[in-house]
Amino acid sequence: MSGVSFVSTALMGTNKVGDLKPDSSGYYQVVLGGFETANMHGHFYSFEKQTQNLFEESSQFMRQIKNGNLFGEYGHPKRHPGESIMDFLRRCILISEDRQALHIRKVEINKQDVKDKSGKAIVAVLGEIKPMGPYGQYLKEILDTKSANCCFSVRAQTDDTDIGNGKENRSVKQIITWDYVGDPGVPTSTKYNAPKLESFFSEHIDYSILEKLRHEAHTGAFKMESAHGQRVIDELLK
């Protein structure tokens, strides 16, 4: 399929009893996302080589985490009425300081401990996160409340392949960040790791638009002074 889409993969972010304790530095280990599982619409998120490469120690994404400058927001960016795709993409690839809710210190792949509703193990992304920024206190309050669920959702660029019956295989090409998101459709009496996957921007984007965005960054028309923004731009068309 020509083009890409930007999607989110939301998972419950805590353990099954809802009693999650931070370490001595204030970081909580949570489930940030997952692969080798389908969303509620039947689209399958695979763990292919290009996705696996993102979690290699030498990747730009992992280096950004090691450098301590990967943050997440409260809620995903939203496309406003009348907003162009270009303007929305500019917003998607940036982390807005006034929306920050968490710092991501570490991520790792776990293939056995997180299961879907059928009991099948998925390829889970475990992360160490600390509530931080203007919305950090909201996140901390939920993490510390046993009866409240907490969800995290990846901001990612995917390559999509039609697999029939209106379904797609979605291979994550790059990860922008994970955001803290609300999920009122999930019961809040416990915290658990059953996945609920959802798309936040399902419109396919032609590669010419991504090329234009990258050109803007390199010519100075769209200033990208942060290491995060430059990393995302550099990987857009790989």
Side-chain angles (χ1 to χ4, degrees), residues 119-152:
K120 173 181 173 291
I122 68 171
V123 178
V125 181
L126 303 185
E128 295 178 4
I129 63 103
K130 182 175 183 177
M132 192 177 295
Y135 288 89
Q137 187 57 41
Y138 295 100
L139 173 58
K140 180 171 174 52
E141 185 175 1
I142 290 180
L143 287 170
D144 291 341
T145 302
K146 290 185 179 181
S147 59
N149 274 331
C150 186
C151 296
F152 299 94

Side-chain angles (χ1 to χ4, degrees), residues 1 26 32 35 40 50 53 93 102 121 144 163 166 175 225:
M1 179 177 295
L32 288 173
F35 305 101
M40 58 186 176
Q50 73 169 356
N53 289 342
I93 66 177
L102 63 145
D144 291 341
I163 56 177
I175 294 171
E225 297 177 351

Side-chain angles (χ1 to χ4, degrees), residues 71-86:
F71 296 85
E73 296 185 28
Y74 170 54
H76 283 315
K78 295 177 175 60
R79 189 178 181 186
H80 302 296
E83 186 177 24
S84 70
I85 291 179
M86 279 292 293

Side-chain angles (χ1 to χ4, degrees), residues 114-186:
V114 180
K115 298 177 173 60
D116 63 18
K117 290 181 180 179
S118 70
K120 173 181 173 291
I122 68 171
V123 178
V125 181
L126 303 185
E128 295 178 4
I129 63 103
K130 182 175 183 177
M132 192 177 295
Y135 288 89
Q137 187 57 41
Y138 295 100
L139 173 58
K140 180 171 174 52
E141 185 175 1
I142 290 180
L143 287 170
D144 291 341
T145 302
K146 290 185 179 181
S147 59
N149 274 331
C150 186
C151 296
F152 299 94
S153 185
V154 72
R155 234 187 284 176
Q157 177 192 3
T158 65
D159 286 329
D160 304 328
T161 305
D162 187 355
I163 56 177
N165 298 319
K167 312 302 181 187
E168 295 175 342
N169 181 84
R170 294 179 172 175
S171 176
V172 173
K173 185 174 183 178
Q174 72 161 310
I175 294 171
I176 299 170
T177 192
W178 284 273
D179 296 315
Y180 149 53
V181 297
D183 193 355
V186 176

Side-chain angles (χ1 to χ4, degrees), residues 29-35 47 54-57 61-62 65 104-114 122-128 178:
Q29 186 181 66
V30 299
V31 179
L32 288 173
F35 305 101
F47 194 55
L54 296 174
F55 296 93
E56 296 290 334
E57 294 295 317
F61 171 66
M62 291 297 283
I65 293 175
I104 301 171
R105 181 174 67 179
K106 179 182 178 181
V107 297
E108 62 181 303
I109 294 296
N110 181 297
K111 297 183 178 181
Q112 67 272 344
D113 294 330
V114 180
I122 68 171
V123 178
V125 181
L126 303 185
E128 295 178 4
W178 284 273

